Amino acid sequence: MKKMILAIGMFTTMLISCKDQEKESKKTEKKMTKRDLSITKENAYSDLFFDSMALVNFIQSNQLPDSIARRLTSFYNARNYQYAWFSSDGLTEQARGFWNLHNYQTNYANDSALYDKALQKKMDGMVMQDSLSINKADKELLNTEMTLTQHFITYARTNIADGYIKRKEMERFIPRMKVDPLYLADSLITKTHKNGKYYEDVNSNYKGLKTALKQYYDIAQKGGWPSVPASVAGMKKGAQSPELKVLKKRLELTGDMPVDSTIIFDEGLEKGISRFQVRHGYKPTGVVDAQLVKDMNVPVEERIKQLLLNMGRMQWMVEEPKGQMIVVNIPEFILHVKDGTKKVFDMGVVVGKDGHNTMMFTGDLNQIVFSPYWNLPSSIVKNEIMPAMAKNSNYLASHNMEMVSNEGDLPVIRQLPGEGNSLGKVKFLFPNSFNIYFHDTPAKSLFKKDKRAYSHGCIRLSEPQKMAEYLLKDDKTWTTEKINGAMNSGEEKYVKLDKPVHVLITYYTSWVDDEGLLHFADDIYDHDKKLTSKMFAVKKA
């Protein structure tokens, strides 16, 4: 009898244990996204896929804890085991964005949990290349893919405040499949969290664009904005035309001017045009030309795509550190100097022309070089200097250049300090893999242009002495007179800053400024164009 009772007891315990395990299993399943089989090679964001067993082997071989293993499995289930960080043309834009953030966390925020020497070496080599030859059978590439995801999950769990980003949202940081932009906009606008915490509450740049997205989505739902007739170009204050009503309606919808149904080109319209010009990177003249009409007639759906693309980029925005910071937004052609949340000053810059793109990255400005030599990059020596020398044997002397050595395939050439030096009178160094820095320039006329992509990749400053004085303001030995003297001495002099200043180079073609004004800029390197083709479904005719 006792044995029977004991057996019944054991059986009951087993039943309870099985039920507990079943409950735990269901609880775990709720925390994992099911495999999304609707994602195919035809509609996927990336064109590379891998076998799910590779992830199982990766988890086992690296002995990953269950908390990370479940997140990894859920992440790739949501993508139907599609690569997140690579496609057949190389690194995805999100890979570059995350690696930029990763470098900041390991190098400047001292996040030891993310440091991985092998991964660092591998990725540093990859980000230097505009395009990569991808071999689908490369096991090392797949290992890098899954390691990056492991690091991304670790980053999100430890650096984004608890509760402000849900697991499924984190899994969508990297696009999974081509979607209708209006559908995506609606899902972002209408999503709700029971805890009342939203990602935009811990990312102010993202929040600004999400607010704008709601405004532009509402415009799209009501049919968009009217097409501005080309005939309004050239009209000036005092002109009268029924077509001006269309122009006013267009500016009214985007908040550039109040409601006004008159047909007169009045002061209100002039101010509205000026505001639109400022938001689109032009000098505020208050006069419409053909290019401005073209910008006004970009469909609202295209602007929504632009907002969505840049919201995605802002997910990789480095959290602004306290203290001094220099931000350059490449398509804006502006350098911003900040001290915490306070704007110190802005200045115009010239960035790399297409083919010599200025790269996105973070770094610390730690040295100023007065009256610098210009050590010419090998690409310039090969493509520009050597052909010029072949035509003119006196080319180097006439350009104040000298040959340092003539060993190997190409000679080492530098330009001496002084008038005409391509770096001007001062340069500012922030060590990075791309050999990009700030510098002066003798070509001052370029700063008069609205669009300023002309350099070989480095960033030219419109007010270099102002920058030098700002960076040395706490060192009383560096007076304005001394700085000016060093810039004009003709002798190269390095000055190390006591306290490096953080530099952030970004690529936003849409953003909201400190005054709450929404801006759009040209996609000068076609980054938007490439991303659009991967992210958004093409409407069928």
Side-chain angles (χ1 to χ4, degrees):
M1 187 67 179
K2 284 183 179 180
K3 288 182 180 180
M4 186 178 293
I5 292 172
L6 182 62
I8 292 172
M10 290 174 65
F11 180 68
T12 303
T13 301
M14 288 171 64
L15 282 176
I16 293 172
S17 177
C18 287
K19 285 181 179 180
D20 287 343
Q21 289 177 8
E22 187 177 345
K23 284 180 182 179
E24 185 61 33
S25 177
K26 287 182 178 180
K27 187 177 179 182
T28 300
E29 284 177 10
K30 285 183 179 180
K31 292 183 178 181
M32 288 180 62
T33 299
K34 291 183 178 180
R35 186 164 183 172
D36 189 346
L37 298 176
S38 70
I39 298 174
T40 65
K41 290 185 178 180
E42 287 70 34
N43 65 14
Y45 174 68
S46 171
D47 56 356
L48 298 179
F49 287 76
F50 64 91
D51 191 292
S52 60
M53 279 306 299
L55 179 62
V56 174
N57 294 335
F58 177 82
I59 290 169
Q60 291 176 348
S61 63
N62 288 280
Q63 299 182 331
L64 298 180
D66 288 346
S67 58
I68 298 295
R70 285 197 301 270
R71 285 293 186 98
L72 272 168
T73 305
S74 184
F75 179 89
Y76 283 110
N77 276 349
R79 305 184 63 78
N80 197 17
Y81 290 83
Q82 162 201 178
Y83 280 67
W85 312 106
F86 297 93
S87 60
S88 60
D89 57 358
L91 288 168
T92 62
E93 183 175 301
Q94 290 74 25
R96 293 180 182 277
F98 175 56
W99 192 246
N100 190 36
L101 185 62
H102 190 283
N103 274 338
Y104 174 79
Q105 287 299 125
T106 54
N107 295 332
Y108 308 116
N110 298 317
D111 190 341
S112 59
L114 289 176
Y115 184 72
D116 182 324
K117 187 176 181 180
L119 181 65
Q120 187 79 39
K121 183 179 180 180
K122 183 75 174 178
M123 287 300 296
D124 283 351
M126 286 183 170
V127 297
M128 287 291 291
Q129 303 178 50
D130 290 333
S131 61
L132 294 168
S133 177
I134 297 296
N135 181 359
K136 295 180 182 179
D138 186 350
K139 292 182 179 180
E140 187 179 346
L141 181 79
L142 181 54
N143 184 73
T144 302
E145 159 74 24
M146 292 185 286
T147 304
L148 277 171
T149 304
Q150 178 191 343
H151 279 235
F152 169 55
I153 290 167
T154 300
Y155 168 81
R157 285 162 59 91
T158 57
N159 291 285
I160 299 176
D162 186 42
Y164 284 95
I165 180 170
K166 302 295 184 182
R167 172 182 51 80
K168 288 185 177 181
E169 291 170 345
M170 187 201 74
E171 292 169 357
R172 286 164 175 76
F173 263 44
I174 301 93
R176 303 174 305 134
M177 60 191 296
K178 295 178 177 67
V179 295
D180 178 85
L182 292 180
Y183 171 81
L184 179 57
D186 180 59
S187 65
L188 289 172
I189 292 165
T190 58
K191 72 176 181 181
T192 57
H193 288 178
K194 290 181 180 179
N195 64 2
K197 295 180 177 180
Y198 294 88
Y199 175 65
E200 56 264 31
D201 295 331
V202 292
N203 187 328
S204 60
N205 295 283
Y206 182 94
K207 185 175 185 177
L209 284 190
K210 186 176 178 182
T211 301
L213 181 67
K214 174 68 167 62
Q215 177 192 4
Y216 278 63
Y217 177 78
D218 289 344
I219 293 172
Q221 291 299 95
K222 295 174 183 176
W225 43 61
S227 179
V228 176
S231 57
V232 304
M235 289 188 186
K236 297 181 180 180
K237 197 172 178 181
Q240 294 188 37
S241 171
E243 293 172 332
L244 290 174
K245 288 180 67 175
V246 181
L247 176 58
K248 288 184 175 182
K249 181 65 176 177
R250 168 66 183 85
L251 294 171
E252 170 205 324
L253 285 172
T254 46
D256 292 301
M257 67 175 293
V259 177
D260 181 352
S261 58
T262 66
I263 62 171
I264 303 171
F265 196 131
D266 52 16
E267 186 179 355
L269 177 56
E270 187 177 55
K271 288 181 178 178
I273 293 168
S274 293
R275 189 176 188 271
F276 185 91
Q277 287 172 319
V278 168
R279 296 197 306 107
H280 290 77
Y282 299 101
K283 291 182 177 67
T285 63
V287 177
V288 179
D289 60 16
Q291 182 57 49
L292 209 63
V293 171
K294 186 178 179 180
D295 285 339
M296 289 181 177
N297 287 335
V298 172
V300 66
E301 290 82 7
E302 293 303 310
R303 292 304 186 195
I304 286 172
K305 289 179 185 178
Q306 201 170 351
L307 290 169
L308 290 167
L309 294 179
N310 285 282
M311 285 173 69
R313 288 178 181 135
M314 286 175 179
Q315 291 173 156
W316 311 111
M317 179 72 168
V318 172
E319 184 181 342
E320 293 187 9
K322 296 177 181 178
Q324 296 171 303
M325 184 174 185
I326 298 170
V327 181
V328 177
N329 184 29
I330 298 166
E332 186 184 4
F333 309 112
I334 297 290
L335 177 149
H336 307 275
V337 177
K338 297 184 175 183
D339 194 344
T341 58
K342 179 185 175 183
K343 182 170 76 174
V344 182
F345 61 82
D346 296 341
M347 72 170 65
V349 297
V350 171
V351 300
K353 57 189 173 183
D354 192 21
H356 296 275
N357 299 8
T358 300
M359 302 301 292
M360 296 167 279
F361 63 92
T362 67
D364 274 4
L365 197 163
N366 59 10
Q367 287 189 92
I368 302 173
V369 185
F370 293 112
S371 296
Y373 282 95
W374 179 35
N375 299 299
L376 279 69
S378 58
S379 59
I380 295 178
V381 173
K382 179 181 179 180
N383 299 323
E384 298 178 31
I385 305 301
M386 295 300 286
M389 289 171 64
K391 293 178 181 179
N392 178 7
S393 60
N394 195 43
Y395 180 85
L396 292 184
S398 64
H399 287 79
N400 201 28
M401 294 179 180
E402 64 180 10
M403 190 179 295
V404 179
S405 69
N406 194 17
E407 299 176 3
D409 296 332
L410 286 173
V412 176
I413 295 173
R414 67 180 181 178
Q415 189 175 38
L416 280 64
E419 294 297 325
N421 184 290
S422 293
L423 303 186
K425 300 175 180 180
V426 61
K427 68 177 180 180
F428 306 86
L429 303 180
F430 37 100
N432 59 84
S433 302
F434 308 105
N435 195 29
I436 290 174
Y437 46 85
F438 300 147
H439 65 87
D440 181 20
T441 175
K444 303 295 185 184
S445 61
L446 294 177
F447 294 106
K448 296 178 182 178
K449 298 179 180 291
D450 290 331
K451 313 295 181 180
R452 299 186 292 274
Y454 294 98
S455 81
H456 282 88
C458 288
I459 298 169
R460 306 176 190 176
L461 306 185
S462 58
E463 302 176 86
Q465 183 165 339
K466 183 175 183 178
M467 177 63 78
E469 290 180 7
Y470 173 74
L471 294 172
L472 294 170
K473 63 183 174 61
D474 294 329
D475 187 340
K476 302 306 178 185
T477 65
W478 280 100
T479 63
T480 298
E481 292 74 22
K482 185 177 179 181
I483 289 172
N484 185 58
M487 288 175 65
N488 291 281
S489 70
E491 294 183 9
E492 188 175 66
K493 182 178 180 60
Y494 280 74
V495 179
K496 187 175 181 179
L497 298 183
D498 291 334
K499 186 178 180 182
V501 177
H502 192 62
V503 175
L504 178 61
I505 312 296
T506 64
Y507 189 92
Y508 298 138
T509 58
S510 176
W511 70 94
V512 174
D513 67 20
D514 295 336
E515 283 71 46
L517 200 62
L518 174 65
H519 293 258
F520 292 102
D522 292 342
D523 179 26
I524 60 174
Y525 298 153
D526 284 343
H527 291 340
D528 284 10
K529 183 179 179 181
K530 293 173 185 174
L531 197 54
T532 294
S533 67
K534 292 184 176 185
M535 273 187 64
F536 301 120
V538 178
K539 285 187 178 181
K540 295 180 180 180

